[in-house]
């Protein structure tokens, strides 16, 4: 039986779910991103940290930098004393709202089935 060398030599397309998990990996990634999307406006660091408590300052900073590098949020530093920094979700980041809303709805619907709090 002849084999298709082009098919065999072509690397498989990366699984989009693996790529997505790589983007939002980490315990706090989705809560941070979802909070920024829901607020849909400038958010200061302290406000965001309180909203996703009990996250540490170090972890929040790490995750925000990653999202900024990926183009999912914008960081704005104001030349004030003390310095003021605000984070805003970008248009690209806002495109994640429908799938994240769907995940939140799914969790609300099935939390009891999973033995988790709704």
């Amino acid at each position: 039986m002849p084999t298709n060398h082009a098919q065999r030599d072509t690397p498989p397309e990366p699984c989009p779910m693996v790529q997505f998990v790589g983007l939002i990996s980490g315990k706090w990634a989705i809560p941070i991103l979802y909070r920024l999307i829901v607020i849909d406006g400038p958010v200061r660091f302290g406000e965001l940290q309180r909203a996703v408590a009990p996250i540490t300052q170090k972890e929040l900073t790490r995750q925000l930098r990653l999202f900024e590098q990926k183009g999912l949020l914008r960081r704005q530093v104001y030349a004030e004393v003390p310095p003021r920094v605000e984070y805003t979700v970008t248009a690209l980041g806002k495109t994640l709202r429908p799938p994240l809303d769907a995940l939140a709805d799914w969790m609300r619907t099935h939390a009891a089935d999973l033995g988790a709090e709704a």
Side-chain angles (χ1 to χ4, degrees), residues 22-107:
L23 174 67
I24 52 93
S25 64
K27 175 180 179 178
W28 300 103
I30 290 177
I32 293 166
L33 195 53
Y34 195 60
R35 178 62 56 179
L36 285 165
I37 291 169
V38 169
I39 292 171
D40 195 19
V43 182
R44 294 184 69 173
F45 186 91
E47 179 185 352
L48 191 55
Q49 187 174 17
R50 284 187 297 279
V52 294
I55 191 171
T56 64
Q57 181 176 341
K58 180 180 178 181
E59 180 60 24
L60 180 56
T61 299
R62 187 189 72 75
Q63 198 64 65
L64 290 171
R65 285 183 182 154
L66 176 67
F67 288 152
E68 185 179 13
Q69 290 170 357
K70 298 294 184 180
L72 298 174
L73 67 83
R74 187 175 311 104
R75 179 177 183 262
Q76 176 70 47
V77 180
Y78 295 90
E80 300 174 357
V81 178
R84 178 169 53 112
V85 179
E86 293 179 340
Y87 299 89
T88 309
V89 69
T90 62
L92 176 61
K94 288 178 185 182
T95 64
L96 285 166
R97 181 152 196 169
L100 293 179
D101 279 344
L103 288 171
D105 290 343
W106 185 90
M107 192 64 206

